[in-house]
Amino acid sequence: MKTSQSTVQSGPAAGQAERTRSGQTYRPNVDILEQPEELVMLVDLPGCQGDQIDVRFEDGELTIHAPVAPRQPAGTRYWLREYGVGDFYRTFRVSEQIDSQRMHASYAQGVLTLHLPKVQSAQPRKIPVAVGG
Amino acid sequence: MSLIPWKSKRPAEDAGESSLVDLRREMDRLFDAFFRSPLEWFERGLTRWTEAFPPVEVSEEDEYLLVRAEVPGVDPKDVELSVTANVLAISGQKKESREGHEQGYLLCERQYGTFRREIALPVAVDAEHVQAECKHGVLTVRLKKARQAVGRRIPVKGA
């Protein structure tokens, strides 16, 4: 595994809860893959509604906020709880040049897939060498 | 189904020591969580964090036990359940969703591979009456309590 702090920076480890203005949120697990033309992020967001996931990219900061409704009525009798249920929230600093107009995302099986296309100038380009006669 | 070892991106521990190391890590985490936010720690009550996949939640209704598990990225077709009176086994596979992996990861926190968990049920259930669904990465298993496990209201006659 290669960890590049220079391209994408994130906060503390995943899975931990943190408090924000809007109450307690959870930090989702994330994979980020670098491809020649784009960065692809896979974000584990179990139990969300796809159309309520809010992804913003502004000044090189990517913010993911996914509301999660309670799954159990208040007063539920629990025997075991290994995870908390609440909104997911995470921010990243992306230094790679991203073409925000072409960003797109999809949500399936509890996973958000986010495509961050690089701007043309950030893509590796093969420069043809003209051979003179 | 071919078995793919469960992969964690954390450094591999010596096999013989892993359970102790896990326990130690778990304790460290609980310790940290307590001191970081004692209020939150108490609010959670029964919540305990685990490295095991998938994390589960067991709750109880009058006639049913409800087992939920967070399985993001797992195709419902790849989940297998088996039930005895007192144990629910959840097994399956979380496939890596992209080809050309191992290279080009800038960040890798999600885990994948095969998994299996056996969850001890707090009351006996009727293995014939189990319903399961998997939606948006959340598996919900509804198990009917065995008849003898459901509390019965007993009328008390006056003299």
Side-chain angles (χ1 to χ4, degrees), chain B residues 30-151:
Chain B
L30 289 172
F31 197 75
D32 285 351
F34 177 79
F35 284 101
R36 203 182 308 119
S37 178
L39 185 67
E40 187 182 299
W41 192 86
F42 283 118
E43 278 172 4
R44 283 233 183 83
L46 284 164
T47 304
R48 63 184 175 88
W49 300 104
T50 171
E51 294 271 330
F53 187 90
V56 299
E57 187 183 83
V58 181
S59 62
E60 186 179 3
E61 294 172 358
D62 288 341
E63 288 186 34
Y64 294 92
L65 273 183
L66 217 56
V67 178
R68 279 203 168 90
E70 291 196 325
V71 289
V74 177
D75 190 324
K77 292 195 286 286
D78 293 331
V79 178
E80 271 185 47
L81 300 172
S82 71
V83 187
T84 63
N86 294 98
V87 176
L88 170 69
I90 303 175
S91 58
Q93 186 180 347
K94 180 166 176 171
K95 288 175 180 154
E96 193 162 27
S97 30
R98 287 190 77 87
E99 297 299 320
H101 37 270
E102 298 303 339
Q103 281 190 346
Y105 272 113
L106 300 177
L107 184 67
C108 195
E109 299 169 344
R110 302 166 69 244
Q111 295 173 296
Y112 54 90
T114 51
F115 58 84
R116 180 177 172 86
R117 285 202 71 184
E118 294 187 357
I119 295 135
L121 301 173
V123 299
V125 297
D126 179 353
E128 301 297 317
H129 290 91
V130 181
Q131 290 175 314
E133 68 160 2
C134 194
K135 199 177 167 192
H136 299 319
V138 179
L139 173 72
T140 303
V141 187
R142 181 176 280 269
L143 307 113
K144 198 168 198 294
K145 291 181 190 173
R147 195 176 293 166
Q148 64 270 26
V150 178

Side-chain angles (χ1 to χ4, degrees), chain A residues 1 5 16-18 31 40 47 52 67 78 84 86 95 97 99 106 108 112 124:
Chain A
M1 180 185 76
Q5 288 300 315
Q16 293 171 1
E18 62 178 34
D31 285 357
V40 179
Q52 290 180 8
Y78 290 102
S95 63
Q97 296 277 305
D99 184 350
S106 58
L112 176 74

